[in-house]
Amino acid sequence: MTVNDIKHEGLKKWINDFAALTKPDSVYVCDGSKKEYDSLIDKMVSSGLAIRLNPDKKPGSVLFRSDPSDVARVEKRTYIASEKQEDAGPTNNWIEPHELKKTMTELYKGSMKGRTMYVIPFSMGPVGSEFSKIGVEITDSEYVVCNMIIMTRVGKKVLEQLGTDGYYVPCYHSVGKPLSKGESDNGIWPCADMEHKYIAHFPETREIWSYGSGYGGNALLGKKCLALRIATVLARDEGWLAEHMLILKLTSPEGKVRYITAAFPSACGKTNLAMLIPTIKDWKVETLSDDIAWLRFGSDGRLYAMAVETGFFGVAPGTSMKSNPNALISASKNTIFTNVGLTEDGDVWWEGIGYDAPGKLIDWHGKEWIQDKNNKDQAPAAHPNSRFTAPAVQCPTLAKEWDDPKGVPVSAILFGGRRPSTIPLVHMSRDWTHGTFLGSIVGSEVTAATLDVASGIRRDPMAMKPFIGYNAGDYFKHWLDVGKSAKDQSLLPKIFYVNWFRKTDDGKWLWPGYGDNSRVLKWIFECCEGTAKTVDTPIGIMPTVDAIDRPEGVTEDDMKALLSVDIDGWLKEVNDIRNNYYPQFGDHLPKELMDLLNNLESRLRAAK
Ligand code: OXD
Ligand code: MN
């Protein structure tokens, strides 16, 4: 399609203006068809940017290797450019919007010379759903177009939905002019130097401007930029929630269905939980989303969650037939792999895939790599944040209602992170306000999904720290307001805090995780039914030690350790929240949360 085929005059002008600035060789409007996807992949294979995998091993699939500096989200270069700095809050980088636009306009000048400019009309959520949002991304990266085609609904239907004057979120993206080095012609994708990368959001005008990175979260602008950062702003103004949550469907042996959402920080197992195979008999888990959920009240007063993406952008390392067969099957064909190892017979390999490297590989740097199992310090063949982009419809456990335009009614919301100590396997909040408190204090060990964050435990409220598009204190207030706005408090989902990552003092996992997490889901289900065995504790409502079926290899003592309240550990937690964490929110911290912190401390002290 060409720009002249577009019937929306405003959109046409916006595209033409950006083309005049960036000076591409040509402009192409994406229709989202298979033919278009295939021809773009062919183009990238011919230019050496992509490697076609062996069609007997991975039909319809390709491998990309990024520039070594462009392998993850870059939080230090991500901005919420609100008019007032206070509105971006303490968890976001901020630059005055006019200044940032000036800097970025200079960078965009001529940045698409020698390339094609692609226009991607896309919908987050089913096209035509009153809850969906339309964006239009302009990019000079075929890699981005192909990933967007897998991850979102792209093309003609979206343009039809926009009509002649519909609203869309404008999203600019250019991989940028390589600045201090020559643009590589050896198959490594172009991107700009770190200090010229910008992932910018303008919340008042609802625009996204991205420059200098081709990596997923920085470049597929429907995902983190629109469906989370800009969507949180829309959600605040319109009374709903845009969250970093998987959605799963849990069916009991009696056939009763409960929908559960769960927010864990990046690379903490959302894809694994969403696709879990229960180890308890006759329970079933099905998948609706592995990363993002939009939640709003239905006319029946229940909170509904809608899946907004159409694919999985999953972390490859650690994904095996044992840990997550459904993810491997989802990525067994028609998949884009980024920064994994390549085998001699044209298949992919990564650390934790479940078998040794079959002979000599080419690693993610494009260099020969031979596995040395005696060398624990061997650099990995696959980058720790290497990814697969796979269509959701290939997931064997995809729930039939995954693309229901009204979403599914949620019974439980889980928060969690990687916490080797203190936080028990599971506890339930007393009500929505207490659940909001638990979400606000979630912390996790830092993973490889972001490039520039010091290791250790960091607070990651609602697993949204990198994705809240406004002041995080106001975001907590919005969560409280959503609870208050419920027609009937008893219909609100119950909120839980889970931790699959507890370790013993000598560093061994206390809980096997993966499929055995179904045992915790079963207790959560019983809490929703009102049949769970529970005990009230200073931190919230917990299972009795015998309430959760014990997996093989987990002793009763392990179970006691997993389900006891570590009073001293929690008092340290309270101290850290009070002195190092909450103060940054200043006046924006809702009083209710401070009251709950005080209440937690008194209960802990009383129990000591
Ligand atoms: C992701 C992330 O890619 O959270 O989903 O980084
Ligand atoms: Mn994510």
Side-chain angles (χ1 to χ4, degrees), residues 346-511:
D347 201 351
V348 290
W349 188 87
W350 50 75
E351 282 67 24
I353 198 169
Y355 50 87
D356 291 343
K360 219 190 290 166
L361 303 188
I362 305 293
D363 70 8
W364 72 276
H365 290 285
K367 302 233 165 64
E368 210 171 82
W369 187 94
I370 297 169
Q371 189 169 25
D372 178 0
K373 292 211 281 184
N374 297 322
N375 176 5
K376 284 210 173 58
D377 298 325
Q378 186 180 25
H383 185 275
N385 192 39
S386 53
R387 299 278 177 149
F388 55 83
T389 319
V393 290
Q394 293 182 181
C395 178
T397 50
L398 194 68
K400 63 176 187 330
E401 56 277 61
W402 76 282
D403 61 351
D404 188 326
K406 66 175 188 328
V408 292
V410 181
S411 296
I413 295 176
L414 279 46
F415 293 119
R418 288 176 188 265
R419 292 297 304 264
S421 65
T422 313
I423 311 297
L425 180 62
V426 58
H427 64 291
M428 178 170 71
S429 68
R430 299 193 176 85
D431 55 26
W432 180 273
T433 304
H434 184 222
T436 303
F437 168 74
L438 293 183
S440 80
I441 64 168
V442 162
S444 190
E445 280 183 323
V446 171
T447 68
T450 175
L451 267 185
D452 48 5
V453 176
S455 57
I457 305 268
R458 77 160 177 178
R459 298 278 160 205
D460 192 343
M462 284 78 172
M464 281 286 282
K465 178 175 185 289
F467 309 121
I468 304 170
Y470 59 100
N471 190 306
D474 297 344
Y475 165 82
F476 298 151
K477 177 172 179 310
H478 179 58
W479 259 83
L480 295 171
D481 288 346
V482 166
K484 285 175 198 149
S485 74
K487 266 203 259 179
D488 177 348
Q489 295 289 312
S490 74
L491 294 179
L492 279 169
K494 297 192 180 306
I495 301 181
F496 298 80
Y497 189 167
V498 299
N499 178 22
W500 320 135
F501 298 95
R502 275 293 289 273
K503 285 185 176 166
T504 58
D505 291 342
D506 51 356
K508 291 200 195 77
W509 296 114
L510 259 176
W511 179 252

Side-chain angles (χ1 to χ4, degrees), residues 73 215 223-224 244 266 270 291 313 387 449 467:
R73 285 183 291 99
Y215 171 77
K223 194 174 180 61
K224 303 298 178 184
H244 193 202
S266 310
K270 284 199 299 301
D291 197 42
F313 182 63
R387 299 278 177 149
F467 309 121

Side-chain angles (χ1 to χ4, degrees), residues 34 38 160 170 235 246 298 481 510 566 591 594 597 608:
K34 167 135 184 18
D38 289 345
E160 275 162 27
L246 65 91
D481 288 346
L510 259 176
D566 170 2
K591 184 176 169 303
M594 193 47 107
L597 184 66
K608 212 167 142 78

Side-chain angles (χ1 to χ4, degrees), residues 82-362:
S82 44
E83 268 150 31
K84 288 198 244 130
Q85 179 161 14
E86 190 178 354
D87 292 337
T91 57
N92 287 308
N93 301 309
W94 179 83
I95 299 180
E96 195 282 322
H98 299 98
E99 183 192 328
L100 181 54
K101 282 192 172 173
K102 206 162 139 220
T103 308
M104 292 188 73
T105 302
E106 279 309 308
L107 291 170
Y108 282 130
K109 256 185 204 161
S111 72
M112 295 191 182
K113 262 188 206 148
R115 305 188 186 129
T116 301
M117 174 169 136
Y118 297 92
V119 178
I120 316 171
F122 65 94
S123 176
M124 300 313 293
V127 181
S129 161
E130 55 177 314
F131 304 136
S132 298
K133 300 285 176 200
I134 289 180
V136 181
E137 176 164 356
I138 295 182
T139 181
D140 51 5
S141 159
E142 287 91 11
Y143 171 85
V144 166
V145 178
C146 291
N147 274 274
M148 284 291 285
I149 289 177
I150 296 178
M151 295 301 296
T152 71
R153 291 133 172 121
V154 167
K156 283 190 181 138
K157 276 205 181 124
V158 179
L159 284 178
E160 275 162 27
Q161 181 69 25
L162 265 185
T164 54
D165 60 355
Y167 178 74
Y168 62 94
V169 176
C171 311
Y172 295 127
H173 173 252
S174 171
V175 287
K177 304 180 274 251
L179 290 157
S180 65
K181 55 186 178 205
E183 183 158 356
S184 54
D185 52 6
N186 62 357
I188 293 179
W189 64 24
C191 63
D193 293 341
M194 192 55 90
E195 70 271 27
H196 293 99
K197 288 188 207 291
Y198 289 93
I199 323 301
H201 308 73
F202 300 92
E204 281 91 4
T205 51
R206 289 153 191 195
E207 291 168 87
I208 298 162
W209 292 30
S210 169
Y211 181 91
S213 169
Y215 171 77
N218 303 329
L220 314 178
L221 301 185
K223 194 174 180 61
K224 303 298 178 184
C225 300
L226 196 163
L228 291 177
R229 296 191 194 98
I230 292 293
T232 52
V233 174
L234 301 172
R236 175 199 60 194
D237 294 349
E238 297 169 5
W240 50 282
L241 293 167
E243 298 300 324
H244 193 202
M245 288 179 178
L246 65 91
I247 312 171
L248 66 80
K249 174 180 179 184
L250 180 64
T251 308
S252 72
E254 294 73 36
K256 176 134 196 205
V257 169
R258 294 275 181 185
Y259 297 97
I260 297 178
T261 68
F264 309 145
S266 310
C268 288
K270 284 199 299 301
T271 307
N272 290 342
L273 188 68
M275 299 181 187
L276 165 154
I277 299 177
T279 52
I280 40 178
K281 207 168 163 290
D282 296 332
W283 285 78
K284 193 162 143 196
V285 167
E286 288 163 272
T287 313
L288 289 95
S289 163
D290 80 330
D291 197 42
I292 297 176
W294 287 356
L295 296 97
R296 59 181 91 219
F297 289 108
S299 50
D300 59 0
R302 289 188 295 172
L303 196 62
Y304 281 69
M306 181 176 83
V308 295
E309 300 184 286
T310 53
F312 309 120
F313 182 63
V315 178
T319 309
S320 68
M321 273 323 250
K322 194 160 163 247
S323 68
N324 192 343
N326 291 317
L328 272 193
I329 296 166
S330 304
S332 61
K333 57 185 179 188
N334 309 321
T335 294
I336 296 174
F337 293 93
T338 307
N339 289 335
V340 300
L342 176 68
T343 67
E344 278 180 311
D345 59 357
D347 201 351
V348 290
W349 188 87
W350 50 75
E351 282 67 24
I353 198 169
Y355 50 87
D356 291 343
K360 219 190 290 166
L361 303 188
I362 305 293

Side-chain angles (χ1 to χ4, degrees), residues 537-588:
T537 78
I539 61 170
I541 296 156
M542 291 183 62
T544 54
V545 177
D546 62 343
I548 293 182
D549 301 353
R550 248 190 302 134
E552 219 173 284
V554 174
T555 65
E556 202 176 329
D557 282 348
D558 293 339
M559 215 60 202
K560 278 187 192 145
L562 283 160
L563 293 177
S564 61
V565 181
D566 170 2
I567 302 274
D568 290 333
W570 272 95
L571 280 169
K572 275 198 203 127
E573 195 78 5
V574 168
N575 195 38
D576 182 52
I577 296 164
R578 188 184 298 291
N579 297 314
N580 305 322
Y581 175 54
Y582 270 178
Q584 66 184 306
F585 303 113
D587 293 350
H588 291 265

